[in-house]
Amino acid sequence: MKKISLRKKAEETIKARGNKYASLSSEQLQLLVHELQVHEIELELQNEALRETQEALESSRMQIELSRNRYVDLYDFSPLAYLTIDATGKIIEANLSTEKLLGMTRNALLKKSLTHFMRREEADHLYLGLQEIKERGSLELRMHRNDDTSFYGHLEILSIPGEGNEKQYRVALQDITQRKQAEENLQIAARIFETSPAGITITDADGNIIRTNRAFTTVTGYSQKEVIGKNSRLLKSDRQDKQFYQKMWQKLTESGIWEGEICNRRKNGELYIEWLSITTLRGRDNKVSHHIGSFYDITLRKRNEEKVQYLAHFDSLTGLPNRTLFNDELSRRVARTAQNHQHLALLYLDFDHFKEINDELGHPEGDHFLQNAAQRIKQCMRPSDLLARLSGDEFCIIVSALDDQSLVLHVVSQITEKIVEALRFPMELEGGTVTQSVSIGIAIYPQDAEKIADLVKYADLAMYEAKQQEGGAYIFFSREMNRNLMHQLNLKKDLKSAFKSDEFFLCYQPQIDFQGRIRGFEALLRWKHPKKGILRPSSFIDVLEAMDLINDIGQWALRTACAQASRWRQQGLKDFKVAVNLSPHQLMKDTLPSVIDKALHDNGLDGKYLELEITESLMIKDPSRAARLLEEITGQGIEIALDDFGTGYSSLIYLRRFPIKTIKIDQSFVRDITRDENDAILVKTIISMGKNLGMHIVAEGVETEAQKDFLRKNSCEILQGHYYAKPMPEEAINQWIAERQTWPE
Ligand code: C2E
Ligand code: MG
Ligand code: MG
């Protein structure tokens, strides 16, 4: 085909140029034809070569196409995300895995930059990273997919020449989130391990230490370096025996975990207590591979616990067991005594005037006294007996394991006598030398009481009995005392209901002056008992004083007496006073002045009609408070009389210190003035002393004319007693007043 067209072309060319070969000879023509044939063959040969080349080319082109397709397939279907980006991150090419990884079709990807899949600061990292890459490099960036789920990307980057001067980058992108998390977890675990407040020891199966942490070093004093490779026995103290460790290993083998308290030794030799948990780790072959021990140093906590235990059970001043421990011990010892059919004695001790030491020498000296006294008492006891401090100056001794009753008497008497004797020796304190007697009450188990509470109560009761005697006495509990106790309990109950049912009333006993005139009336409490008839205070006042009810009854007496005085005022009685007895408890209450004020105010009564009778015991309890309250009360025009003078301390200091207007000479002195010279002198002295102090003097319990005469002769201005009138209830006293406005001398 080509040959023909070439020939044709050649002929046409000849024609066009004009036949320059027309003049040629046939010889020349033959030569020319030959030459032409040679050319023709040459051309044919050339053509052949060309065709072959073309064919070769075609085949290699197909080869290339094939391998390109293979490459594209490999590229596309590679499980790794491959993409090409330019220097700005723009995606030029991306394979199918990139599509999958980034959650966007390839077409869409080709419009995006790789930075679309990362936050700004990460994009900056990418730019910088690309700039720094010469040939190849790698980056790790936090990225997110198109749906915003994040992942850690590892970019393996190959720099390739792009169009012009632009660089392009082939990027193999891998999601390494899992690896990163695992790394992070490892880091966290390592950090926890290191910073854990618990000391941690990791050992191999044989207990050789592989790793320890910081707290381990803090507690034990050993650095990790010092202990690695060494056996954990290194910390062992000799405080646990073989058995302990055997049990521990047995438990570990059985359950893979052991927990408990253990005493170990620090590097410096010091012992410490730790709370240790050991866990066993097993390998795939189920053989023990490691032990992990984690422990806390609880030495301090233990010590504090012991301290708390100590404080809860021991008295901090004397170091003796306190009431709690005493109760526990008593129960324990009583139970044992019962079991062994033995006897037990309980001694209740109370110092007779401990308050005075506190008041006069101050509390620190009071404390010193108690400490010394506790020591002295301890020395008088058998080692097996228990001394406890229950409160203030109250102590108890448990004397146990006594086989028979005669031994009880023998041992207990011996101990108590020794104690009384030991305390008789004066004690040197900073403020001076003191001697304190002690009263001891004794109750025996089981004969006196089988119940522990009763036993304590009876010993206490016996102690109160002992207190009634002169310094340093001990008394065994008796049934009689118990009867008294029962009587007191019943009385308390009855008193409460009596007040509720209005069984109390006041009687009034007149006080008569020099001129035979009524100077006033003393209001005296009476109880109209439903069964026993009218009762005087002597049969109940002591019990009442020990009850809060005394305050209510005292207030009621005040109101009732003021109401009576008000009525007398209205009836025209002049210049008189109603004297009301105050209980010490009432004077301990700061509300007293307002209570009095109200009683006066409610009855429209002036304070000058009211006199309050107090006793010295009332002032001694808390002198400064009593003085303050009395000053306040007298400010309302009320006068104060000191009752039963001569029976108490009869201290001149009190007479000066308190605003006392009247002294009442106790009837026990008046009773015998005509018979007993001493009493006569005493009464005379009281009268003249009182007068010198500018006070009024009242003599109470005047029963006879002789007594009256003696008193009058000795200038006792006011008299009170059966000689003139007995205490009378309202109606009777009103009649008495009506009959005798004045009393003839
Ligand atoms: P006190 O205040 O010394 O009262 C005088 C006591 O002597 C009264 O006893 C009275 O009845 C009695 N008495 C009066 N004249 C004679 C007499 O000529 N011969 C004899 N033997 N006794 C005479 P009472 O009423 O039994 O009161 C006893 C004590 O009870 C009182 O002694 C007083 O301390 C207390 N008391 C009485 N009433 C009250 C009260 O309302 N409150 C308080 N807190 N105590 C009261
Ligand atoms: Mg009185
Ligand atoms: Mg009196």
Side-chain angles (χ1 to χ4, degrees):
M1 247 313 252
K2 246 178 190 165
K3 208 170 137 187
I4 296 168
S5 63
L6 273 170
R7 185 172 184 92
K8 222 175 169 184
K9 216 171 175 181
E11 275 174 2
E12 278 169 9
T13 312
I14 292 169
K15 236 187 237 177
R17 288 180 188 166
N19 193 354
K20 59 177 176 181
Y21 307 107
S23 57
L24 293 180
S25 67
S26 64
E27 223 171 284
Q28 283 175 317
L29 273 172
Q30 265 183 359
L31 221 95
L32 197 61
V33 166
H34 174 76
E35 232 172 270
L36 277 171
Q37 276 173 337
V38 170
H39 269 298
E40 192 182 352
I41 289 163
E42 261 176 12
L43 274 172
E44 272 173 12
L45 285 173
Q46 271 178 5
N47 266 347
E48 187 64 20
L50 202 69
R51 199 175 42 83
E52 274 172 12
T53 314
Q54 263 179 345
E55 269 174 15
L57 252 171
E58 182 68 9
S59 134
S60 87
R61 201 182 55 79
M62 276 171 68
Q63 280 291 324
I64 287 169
E65 184 72 7
L66 213 72
S67 62
R68 204 187 81 87
N69 283 349
R70 208 177 298 140
Y71 164 75
V72 167
D73 283 353
L74 269 175
Y75 176 79
D76 262 357
F77 294 109
S78 158
L80 213 60
Y82 284 119
L83 61 160
T84 309
I85 55 173
D86 67 11
T88 67
K90 188 176 172 319
I91 301 171
I92 298 165
E93 230 174 37
N95 73 348
L96 286 174
S97 290
T98 312
E99 248 187 21
K100 220 158 99 192
L101 177 61
L102 298 179
M104 197 180 258
T105 63
R106 198 170 355 196
N107 280 344
L109 276 174
L110 296 179
K111 290 176 195 143
K112 297 278 180 213
S113 164
L114 190 57
T115 55
H116 174 76
F117 300 97
M118 50 191 79
R119 284 216 212 101
R120 218 193 136 139
E121 58 272 29
E122 298 289 301
D124 290 344
H125 280 141
L126 177 69
Y127 292 139
L128 284 172
L130 291 179
Q131 275 170 29
E132 278 171 15
I133 287 172
K134 297 269 163 6
E135 279 177 24
R136 56 191 312 159
S138 64
L139 285 173
E140 270 176 17
L141 298 171
R142 210 182 272 275
M143 299 179 66
H144 54 81
R145 300 181 185 85
N146 198 35
D147 64 3
D148 237 18
T149 53
S150 61
F151 68 98
Y152 252 108
H154 177 89
L155 289 77
E156 201 58 50
I157 303 166
L158 185 69
S159 167
I160 50 166
E163 285 168 22
N165 281 338
E166 282 287 314
K167 266 191 185 173
Q168 286 188 350
Y169 302 91
R170 291 237 193 280
V171 179
L173 176 61
Q174 211 182 338
D175 177 355
I176 55 159
T177 314
Q178 271 187 357
R179 198 192 80 205
K180 268 282 188 201
Q181 259 166 8
E183 269 173 26
E184 266 174 23
N185 286 348
L186 263 176
Q187 267 174 12
I188 292 169
R191 188 127 187 85
I192 291 173
F193 178 83
E194 207 38 44
T195 58
S196 158
I200 301 175
T201 325
I202 301 177
T203 72
D204 63 13
D206 301 324
N208 299 317
I209 299 172
I210 299 169
R211 254 189 97 173
T212 60
N213 69 346
R214 210 183 297 163
F216 171 92
T217 305
T218 315
V219 175
T220 65
Y222 289 106
S223 69
Q224 177 164 274
K225 240 176 161 180
E226 285 173 308
V227 292
I228 279 193
K230 300 219 170 111
N231 197 282
S232 52
R233 274 194 299 271
L234 163 93
L235 301 164
K236 222 164 134 181
S237 71
D238 43 14
R239 293 305 160 109
Q240 284 86 214
D241 53 14
K242 247 188 180 167
Q243 259 185 333
F244 175 89
Y245 289 106
Q246 269 168 2
K247 270 191 190 162
M248 178 171 118
W249 285 112
Q250 192 186 340
K251 176 94 203 305
L252 261 175
T253 322
E254 281 166 10
S255 62
I257 188 151
W258 179 88
E259 252 189 342
E261 227 174 81
I262 185 165
C263 180
N264 274 347
R265 199 179 287 281
R266 299 189 219 273
K267 188 181 171 187
N268 63 9
E270 202 179 274
L271 291 173
Y272 69 96
I273 303 163
E274 63 179 31
W275 180 261
L276 173 64
S277 316
I278 307 179
T279 314
T280 299
L281 294 189
R282 287 177 187 274
R284 289 223 175 97
D285 52 2
N286 204 30
K287 275 194 185 146
V288 174
S289 60
H290 297 90
H291 293 296
I292 302 175
S294 102
F295 60 90
Y296 287 97
D297 183 349
I298 54 166
T299 319
L300 210 69
R301 201 182 77 199
K302 285 294 256 186
R303 256 186 231 145
N304 284 342
E305 268 171 20
E306 275 163 21
K307 218 170 172 183
V308 168
Q309 276 289 320
Y310 181 84
L311 287 179
H313 291 104
F314 289 89
D315 163 46
S316 55
L317 180 70
T318 58
L320 293 176
N322 62 10
R323 191 184 285 274
T324 314
L325 185 56
F326 163 77
N327 286 334
D328 290 351
E329 271 298 306
L330 187 59
S331 317
R332 226 168 47 77
R333 291 185 187 215
V334 161
R336 210 188 315 138
T337 306
Q339 232 171 31
N340 300 342
H341 303 289
Q342 289 176 316
H343 302 261
L344 174 151
L346 186 67
L347 280 60
Y348 212 112
L349 286 78
D350 189 292
F351 290 98
D352 291 336
H353 302 290
F354 175 66
K355 195 178 174 305
E356 285 169 22
I357 301 184
N358 265 344
D359 288 349
E360 286 163 25
L361 304 180
H363 284 263
E365 285 311 285
D367 287 352
H368 261 137
F369 169 80
L370 289 175
Q371 284 167 335
N372 284 334
Q375 280 311 314
R376 285 191 190 185
I377 295 169
K378 255 200 131 166
Q379 278 158 16
C380 305
M381 297 160 38
R382 305 177 312 169
S384 57
D385 299 332
L386 181 111
L387 171 66
R389 181 179 175 218
L390 302 196
S391 68
D393 62 340
E394 281 183 350
F395 293 82
C396 253
I397 301 174
I398 307 172
V399 182
S400 49
L402 302 164
D403 283 332
D404 56 60
Q405 211 150 350
S406 59
L407 192 65
V408 173
L409 290 179
H410 177 69
V411 173
V412 172
S413 309
Q414 224 175 26
I415 293 175
T416 42
E417 270 161 25
K418 271 192 200 168
I419 293 173
V420 170
E421 200 50 41
L423 290 168
R424 209 162 269 160
F425 280 104
M427 199 182 284
E428 296 290 338
L429 295 178
E430 252 175 41
T433 309
V434 292
T435 322
Q436 272 280 316
S437 56
V438 67
S439 299
I440 306 173
I442 304 146
I444 315 285
Y445 173 89
Q447 47 266 59
D448 290 339
E450 291 198 11
K451 283 191 194 152
I452 290 171
D454 288 346
L455 195 68
V456 178
K457 192 165 70 185
Y458 294 164
D460 187 18
L461 203 67
M463 186 272 289
Y464 271 99
E465 278 295 314
K467 268 215 184 301
Q468 310 307 314
Q469 307 196 358
E470 265 312 293
Y474 66 92
I475 285 188
F476 283 86
F477 171 78
S478 70
R479 294 278 144 211
E480 179 63 26
M481 285 178 209
N482 195 24
R483 268 195 291 281
N484 283 345
L485 182 75
M486 293 312 288
H487 168 74
Q488 281 186 20
L489 291 176
N490 284 330
L491 189 56
K492 279 187 180 174
K493 198 172 68 191
D494 290 352
L495 281 165
K496 274 188 200 159
S497 75
F499 186 58
K500 274 193 197 137
S501 352
D502 255 343
E503 287 169 16
F504 291 106
F505 66 98
L506 291 183
C507 275
Y508 299 90
Q509 185 177 33
Q511 297 172 340
I512 309 298
D513 72 8
F514 264 136
Q515 283 81 38
R517 281 195 311 246
I518 297 169
R519 181 262 184 181
F521 305 88
E522 178 172 7
L524 293 159
L525 186 65
R526 294 291 179 267
W527 176 7
K528 192 166 178 235
H529 195 283
K531 285 187 199 134
K532 299 178 189 158
I534 302 215
L535 298 179
R536 287 175 47 171
S538 53
S539 60
F540 60 82
I541 197 87
D542 286 345
V543 175
L544 188 60
E545 288 281 4
M547 298 168 71
D548 284 340
L549 189 65
I550 185 71
N551 284 308
D552 299 325
I553 293 186
Q555 286 186 24
W556 166 86
L558 254 170
R559 289 196 303 271
T560 311
C562 286
Q564 181 62 66
S566 174
R567 282 196 291 279
W568 281 329
R569 278 275 304 118
Q570 281 156 22
Q571 287 160 18
L573 203 66
K574 284 184 196 137
D575 301 331
F576 72 95
K577 286 183 187 300
V578 169
V580 178
N581 291 284
L582 274 194
S583 139
H585 288 271
Q586 285 176 279
L587 211 74
M588 293 303 285
K589 288 218 178 287
D590 289 333
T591 47
L592 182 64
S594 61
V595 167
I596 296 169
D597 200 35
K598 187 166 185 322
L600 291 173
H601 184 263
D602 287 352
N603 293 291
L605 194 70
D606 193 293
K608 69 177 181 187
Y609 293 102
L610 186 63
E611 184 175 51
L612 297 174
E613 293 192 8
I614 61 169
T615 55
E616 281 170 307
S617 63
L618 192 146
M619 299 183 288
I620 288 161
K621 276 216 167 110
D622 190 348
S624 40
R625 164 186 276 200
R628 183 169 48 77
L629 281 175
L630 289 178
E631 288 295 346
E632 204 175 324
I633 291 164
T634 48
Q636 300 172 17
I638 299 157
E639 283 186 6
I640 306 293
L642 189 57
D643 206 353
D644 305 338
F645 191 79
T647 57
Y649 299 87
S650 308
S651 159
L652 294 178
I653 294 174
Y654 290 127
L655 289 182
R656 291 247 320 273
R657 184 163 173 188
F658 297 97
I660 292 161
K661 257 283 165 55
T662 305
I663 292 175
K664 292 187 80 175
I665 304 172
D666 191 70
Q667 54 178 280
S668 58
F669 304 110
V670 175
R671 194 178 303 133
D672 292 330
I673 33 171
T674 52
R675 290 192 296 261
D676 188 325
E677 184 62 18
N678 286 338
D679 281 355
I681 294 172
L682 206 81
V683 169
K684 278 194 225 169
T685 315
I686 295 174
I687 296 169
S688 69
M689 178 199 70
K691 289 212 165 279
N692 286 337
L693 288 169
M695 293 176 175
H696 301 298
I697 313 292
V698 177
E700 54 182 22
V702 182
E703 291 183 347
T704 63
E705 191 163 9
Q707 288 166 344
K708 179 209 80 176
D709 290 340
F710 176 91
L711 291 161
R712 287 286 183 237
K713 208 169 86 202
N714 288 289
S715 312
C716 180
E717 49 175 320
I718 306 155
L719 306 182
Q720 175 185 347
H722 295 173
Y723 174 71
Y724 294 102
K726 288 192 171 176
M728 287 170 274
E730 183 179 2
E731 215 174 296
I733 192 82
N734 279 340
Q735 202 179 333
W736 184 88
I737 295 168
E739 283 168 13
R740 307 159 191 255
Q741 275 291 340
T742 55
W743 191 261
E745 270 301 292

